[in-house]
Amino acid sequence: ISDPTLAKHIDRSPLAMIEWDHNFVFQRWSTRAEQVFGWKAEEVLGKSWNEMRFIHDEDVERVEVVTSELIEGDVDFNTSLNRNYRKDGSVIYCEWFNSVIRDDHGRMTSWISLTHDVTERELAKQQSRQARNALRLVVEGTSRVTGAEFFASLVRHLAEALQLRNVMLVRTDFSGSLRALALWSNGELVRNIAYDLEGTPCERVIQDAASFYANDIQQQFPDASALATMDANSYLGTPLVSST
């Protein structure tokens, strides 16, 4: 890009600019491309994308279809969404806007790709789908049962939907003890479990506050023997509050 003002605007853009020739060799690699993918321009210019781990293994065939449309002259512009590797090996999701450059005789000389890192957006969409699927599995799994069997079905389907080793539904009489209405632990249903509230992560939950411990839960609550029995590493508890 000979115009310095235009080049400066491109470098400030959230879109990375990459230019390729018909052999998939990098001809241009903007400052933003360096930031998105981790490679410096001097590391990629003159190389083909096959000489570096750039496109996610499972997306190569899809990308080849998109690029063949450009090379064979079927289209002058197209878009795609695929996963790419960064220099450090991490995976990102990128949206690509590709446009062909032709000479005065209409022959393709290269193509320009404007690339947007949409990893956060795509991961959020995946998490939303997972949450909807989990809710659907729980609803479908518990809709046909009532009474005590409802609790057993609920903990089982919560464990399976959320991929948890242990799910327990507990009732308290506010006397300092807890009774599990149902416990699904390591693929099996366990009934009639009772334990003292003191010294457990459940104490805060009983005080009407959701509690989450991401890791090392046994070290934080060494007196809660049930955590060791269940080989627990993390803990999430939330209160179910009645109308009173």
Side-chain angles (χ1 to χ4, degrees), residues 69-76 100-110:
E69 292 179 344
L70 299 171
I71 293 174
E72 295 172 10
D74 297 334
V75 297
D76 278 350
V100 171
I101 297 177
R102 300 187 183 277
D103 62 19
D104 295 339
H105 302 286
R107 294 172 299 197
M108 173 185 166
T109 58
S110 62

Side-chain angles (χ1 to χ4, degrees), residues 28-46:
R28 181 177 298 158
W29 187 265
S30 71
T31 301
R32 181 58 180 159
E34 294 182 344
Q35 297 168 351
V36 171
F37 297 105
W39 286 281
K40 295 295 184 181
E42 56 267 24
E43 296 179 281
V44 300
L45 294 182

Side-chain angles (χ1 to χ4, degrees), residues 83-218:
R83 290 164 293 178
N84 289 90
Y85 294 110
R86 286 175 44 83
K87 182 180 179 179
D88 62 10
S90 59
V91 176
I92 58 175
Y93 287 79
C94 291
E95 200 164 29
W96 295 80
F97 304 86
N98 311 300
S99 182
V100 171
I101 297 177
R102 300 187 183 277
D103 62 19
D104 295 339
H105 302 286
R107 294 172 299 197
M108 173 185 166
T109 58
S110 62
W111 83 81
I112 293 285
S113 293
L114 297 177
T115 309
H116 189 204
D117 181 355
V118 293
T119 304
E120 290 187 7
R121 185 193 74 188
E122 291 302 309
L123 292 180
K125 288 167 61 176
Q126 289 181 19
Q127 291 169 356
S128 178
R129 285 194 298 268
Q130 291 169 356
R132 290 197 300 270
N133 289 337
L135 180 59
R136 176 181 57 79
L137 290 172
V138 172
V139 171
E140 290 177 353
T142 58
S143 60
R144 295 181 179 87
V145 292
T146 59
E149 289 307 309
F150 170 79
F151 300 127
S153 181
L154 177 59
V155 293
R156 174 183 177 179
H157 285 90
L158 277 172
E160 293 175 349
L162 301 177
Q163 299 181 6
L164 301 173
R165 285 205 309 271
N166 308 286
V167 174
M168 182 164 56
L169 184 61
V170 175
R171 173 173 289 168
T172 179
D173 58 8
F174 299 99
S175 66
S177 64
L178 298 176
R179 181 172 64 87
L181 299 177
L183 165 63
W184 187 262
S185 181
N186 294 308
E188 295 182 354
L189 181 65
V190 183
R191 299 179 186 269
N192 300 320
I193 300 295
Y195 60 96
D196 292 331
L197 178 63
E198 185 177 358
T200 71
C202 303
E203 276 190 289
R204 185 179 177 191
V205 180
I206 297 304
Q207 297 167 0
D208 194 20
S211 299
F212 175 60
Y213 301 87
N215 46 54
D216 299 327
I217 187 67
Q218 294 185 50

